Amino acid sequence: MDDSIQPILLQEDGVIDLSGKNLGIISDRIVRVNALLNTIKRHLGDKREWLNEGFECEMLAPGGIWQKGRIRLQLEFHPEQPNELFDSCQQIEASQNH
């Protein structure tokens, strides 16, 4: 994985192809992100708020001080190669949401 390529936060209305993958929690090959998130929530049980609100914690960064905050789980897509067209679409969408 190329760390210079920025990950993409998956939107709930997105669609992903899981062909050839056995996640053990979903058997569909093509799945909407919101369906995958709902399946993950069911498997998290009473911890499903970790995906939305997260949970409180403290973090100590190397050479830093303790900071209070929250950890929230989210789904990211890490492209193998940069896609300028996709990046442009994301920038347009982000500017429309502000």
Side-chain angles (χ1 to χ4, degrees):
M1 189 165 36
D2 184 347
D3 289 335
S4 68
I5 301 173
Q6 292 297 314
I8 299 163
L9 182 62
L10 294 177
Q11 302 298 315
E12 288 195 24
D13 59 350
V15 178
I16 54 178
D17 180 355
L18 300 172
S19 298
K21 307 294 180 262
N22 180 2
L23 300 181
I25 60 171
I26 195 163
S27 59
D28 297 334
R29 189 188 96 150
I30 304 292
V31 63
R32 287 189 170 271
V33 171
N34 63 352
L36 179 58
L37 284 169
N38 288 334
T39 300
I40 292 170
K41 286 178 185 178
R42 278 196 307 276
H43 279 78
L44 286 173
D46 63 343
K47 306 291 187 234
R48 68 177 138 255
E49 71 274 2
W50 291 3
L51 289 168
N52 299 322
E53 297 88 34
F55 54 91
E56 292 180 4
C57 67
E58 290 188 55
M59 180 190 79
L60 177 62
I65 60 171
W66 284 100
Q67 284 188 288
K68 291 184 179 185
R70 302 185 79 73
I71 290 181
R72 185 177 61 168
L73 303 178
Q74 60 187 19
L75 297 179
E76 293 179 340
F77 175 72
H78 292 258
E80 291 180 358
Q81 298 177 0
N83 184 329
E84 292 177 18
L85 177 61
F86 187 81
D87 291 343
S88 297
C89 291
Q90 267 198 319
Q91 290 171 358
I92 292 169
E93 183 178 309
S95 67
Q96 291 174 349
N97 290 334
H98 291 290

